[in-house]
Amino acid sequence: MNRRTESSNKIEASEATTAGRHALVLGGSLAGLLAARVLCDHFDRVTVVERDPFPATASPRRGVPQANHVHALMPRGRLILEQLFPGLQKEMMAAGAPLVGMGKDVAWLTPQGWGVRFRSNLEVLSFTRPLLDLHVRRRLITDCRVHVMENTEIIRLLPGRQNGKVAGAVVRTGGENSDRVVEMQLRADLVVDATGRASRAPRWLEELGYPAPEETIINAHLGYASRLYRIPEGFSADWKCIFVQAAPPERKRGAILFTVEGDRWLVTMIGGGRDYPPTDNDAFLEFARSLPSPIIYDAIRQAEPLSPIKGHRGTENRLRHFERAGRQPENFIAIGDSVCAFNPVYGQGMTIAAMGANALHECLCEEKGVLENFARRFQKRLTKVTAAPWMLATSEDYRYRETEGGSASVATRIMHHYMDHVVKLSTFDASVRQVLLEVFGMLVQPSALFRPNIVLRVLGHTLGFVRPPKSVAKKTSSGMLVYHSAAND
Ligand SMILES: Cc1cc2nc3c(=O)[nH]c(=O)nc-3n(C[C@H](O)[C@H](O)[C@H](O)COP(=O)(O)OP(=O)(O)OC[C@H]3O[C@@H](n4cnc5c(N)ncnc54)[C@H](O)[C@@H]3O)c2cc1C
């Protein structure tokens, strides 16, 4: 391969001469694409730089290895995506992604029993992650202000002439397999880092003399292993998705089955506390069989596998405190997993990327075109978006004995106890389950779980006054005993 080295490379073309305000987005996964969509409303030109070539079909790519695994887009994220790209949901459904009622269509084994099944207004789309990315990308590039540079790696930030700003970034085009690698400077008024949890932004900032943001890492050592299956002909069940939740510290295993586009199931085995799920066929099935319910094992043991089993272990909660950095370039911000990456089992990352794009829009609406102190203002606002999901993910992760990076405080233990009652109630009380799903779906703040009606029910349950109404318990076609809400059934 005839690659020219960095040092022998002439730094070529520059975007500096092109007129108008220019925003540069580093990373072309979901956070980058959604940020780019919002930036279009505020800048004359937006350039997205991505190291990978983008696939023409809905297939995974190297830079987003997590795309092989189940990706649940929470209702809040679905709403924001639909606002940013009206009609996206219909397009996804036309491509085969089923709409799933969170109350009715998800067989959900909580640590306290099966979640009550009821008809709710909460719906999610069930798809493979590459399908979502493909549709978002397609919609984004129809905007003539957006320029996408694939096969292009960000190397470093470009120092600004003005103190306290960056001038853009230096990138290397051509990709790994190209015989012509060229470095170039991309000049921009605003630079947005969306290069994910492995972002090199801290290093890039240090290279320019700025402090790297402090990091908090809380790791429950979770592993994923996933495989696609063809749904057997004639198969019928009273669910479209299954979630067998782990119940740490004792029960460290869980799994998710999603019915996705193309009449397929995407099945993900999950093991916490270093109980990583295996990636060979027999052991994968054995892992499924070892779960507290055989529901997923029974579904997949006769089904035809359509993919190899892919594993993934990069699942730590990682928070980079850009908002606390003493000195920082005013026009360099970070968004998405680059700032706050979660243990993925709570399904928050994509929705936070969408909420982060909203926060970016709000901040840009307030600024007067000079981006003065913009980074600090934006990162502080983003902190408000990530605070509750971070608390939820990390405090739940403290239930694993193996979790590193912190431990449960007394307040967290009391919260665990309270939540155990809420979850127990959600196995037979549809009104409690509705609120729990709204919190999970990020439509309301976790404080909703402390509304007086829920606190009273928890109290009643603790004291033994509130018990499951046995009369509405039913056996489903898959043989499990669940409570159906008589009111909503
Ligand atoms: C196993 C797993 C399962 C998950 N499940 C869910 C789920 O169910 N629901 C949910 O909402 N979220 C889930 N997530 C989180 C979700 O994947 C991310 O939050 C989401 O992809 C948004 O991330 P991002 O765009 O910030 O970064 P990423 O998706 O990591 O993308 C970073 C991008 O930057 C590019 N890049 C990196 N470095 C460079 C460079 N130097 N030059 C050029 N390009 C570069 C990469 O190629 C990539 O395209 C899961 C995550 C994992 C790990």
Side-chain angles (χ1 to χ4, degrees), residues 1-12 172-173 178-183:
M1 200 183 354
N2 180 20
R3 284 187 70 160
R4 286 197 283 168
T5 64
E6 206 174 298
S7 55
S8 69
N9 250 337
K10 192 173 126 227
I11 291 191
E12 287 205 342
R172 190 187 286 141
T173 66
S178 169
D179 55 4
R180 186 161 188 278
V181 177
V182 173
E183 259 190 37

Side-chain angles (χ1 to χ4, degrees), residues 74-92:
M74 292 302 147
R76 176 76 175 272
R78 185 171 71 92
L79 289 175
I80 298 174
L81 257 70
E82 193 61 23
Q83 280 161 7
L84 295 177
F85 301 104
L88 181 75
Q89 175 170 308
K90 264 199 183 145
E91 288 171 18
M92 299 271 294

Side-chain angles (χ1 to χ4, degrees), residues 68 226-229 265-266 304-310:
N68 292 296
S226 299
R227 183 172 229 184
L228 283 160
Y229 291 87
W265 286 327
L266 176 55
E304 178 195 349
L306 295 174
S307 74
I309 302 168
K310 299 274 185 177

Side-chain angles (χ1 to χ4, degrees), residues 29 31 50-51 61 63 66 71-72 129 154 200 337 344 349-350:
S29 179
E50 169 54 50
R51 184 167 44 204
R61 61 184 173 86
Q66 72 267 33
H71 265 70
R129 171 67 194 268
I154 300 117
R200 280 183 273 159
D337 280 18
M350 295 190 296

Side-chain angles (χ1 to χ4, degrees), residues 30 33 55-61 64 67-69 71 73 81 88-98 125-139 228 259-264 266 350:
L30 204 66
L33 298 176
T57 56
S59 34
R61 61 184 173 86
V64 190
N68 292 296
H69 306 275
H71 265 70
L73 178 65
L81 257 70
L88 181 75
Q89 175 170 308
K90 264 199 183 145
E91 288 171 18
M92 299 271 294
M93 287 170 73
L125 272 183
S126 181
F127 47 74
T128 62
R129 171 67 194 268
L131 186 78
L132 177 69
D133 288 14
L134 180 70
H135 281 262
V136 170
R137 265 195 325 262
R138 275 189 188 157
R139 289 293 295 272
L228 283 160
T259 301
V260 296
E261 75 277 2
D263 297 319
R264 297 173 297 169
L266 176 55
M350 295 190 296

